[in-house]
Amino acid sequence: MQLDLNQLCELLTVLDKTGISELTLKSGDLELTVRKGVLASSPGTAAALPAAAATVAPIALGAVASPTLASPPAVDQNAGSALAEAPAAAPAALPASVDPKWVPIISPMVGTFYRAAAPDEPPFVNVGDRIKVSQTVCIIEAMKLMNEIDADEVSGQVMEILVQNGEPVEYGQVLMRINPD
């Protein structure tokens, strides 16, 4: 059986009512990833949703990597009912190396992460560096504007930098973690 628009809408509705934040379906050449609260803005993502699917506001389609999108392969009809019966996903646990007292520095916007002011400049911070309150720790480029991101109210030691230079970042994404003083 092929996945039609009605089945896709049903799947999106079921996902919206659960605690599941991401689901990937793979079948043949079709790979469909559905994420709650994430806009499809990176290359290779669906640029426009069908009108019926667009009514489920908090869910966006992403990473549809199929050259044969017009003829999607069969999808198991029981997948939707299995999702409806699945318990809500538990929040992902922090990796064992992350100390709960570490303070995350979170991206306030969508854009491109840069560790330095220019390619030939040294990074603002490295893992192990000590930072002060309001010190610039990175730049996020959004709409051709370079936005300095500061360690607003935390001073301490940089324990992790979770984003590579030049990578896209999402609103609310953890950029780095600081062990506060």
Side-chain angles (χ1 to χ4, degrees):
M1 175 180 236
Q2 292 188 351
L3 180 66
D4 65 14
L5 183 59
N6 290 333
Q7 290 172 318
L8 180 59
C9 288
E10 265 185 60
L11 176 63
L12 293 173
T13 302
V14 169
L15 282 174
D16 192 39
K17 294 177 182 176
T18 69
I20 298 171
S21 62
E22 181 173 340
L23 172 74
T24 301
L25 294 173
K26 294 180 184 179
S27 179
D29 292 332
L30 176 71
E31 180 175 337
L32 173 70
T33 299
V34 180
R35 293 183 186 101
K36 283 186 183 179
V38 177
L39 296 177
S41 61
S42 61
T45 60
L49 298 175
T55 60
V56 183
I59 299 178
L61 294 176
V64 178
S66 174
T68 58
L69 189 57
S71 58
V75 174
D76 184 6
Q77 184 175 359
N78 296 327
S81 63
L83 282 174
E85 297 168 6
L94 295 175
S97 64
V98 176
D99 189 322
K101 73 175 182 177
W102 291 355
V103 177
I105 294 184
I106 297 173
S107 177
M109 65 190 70
V110 174
T112 304
F113 175 87
Y114 292 109
R115 293 188 57 197
D120 57 340
E121 298 281 325
F124 291 109
V125 296
N126 290 304
V127 172
D129 287 355
R130 302 216 50 88
I131 62 168
K132 296 179 263 182
V133 172
S134 299
Q135 178 179 338
T136 300
V137 294
C138 65
I139 290 177
I140 296 181
E141 176 187 6
M143 299 177 60
K144 306 289 183 192
L145 295 174
M146 299 297 180
N147 301 282
E148 292 184 353
I149 307 303
D150 299 333
D152 290 326
E153 299 175 6
V154 65
S155 63
Q157 184 176 14
V158 178
M159 301 306 288
E160 293 180 314
I161 299 176
L162 302 168
V163 184
Q164 297 296 318
N165 197 45
E167 280 188 357
V169 294
E170 296 290 332
Y171 171 80
Q173 180 176 345
V174 177
L175 304 173
M176 54 188 73
R177 290 193 174 95
I178 310 300
N179 187 5
D181 289 336

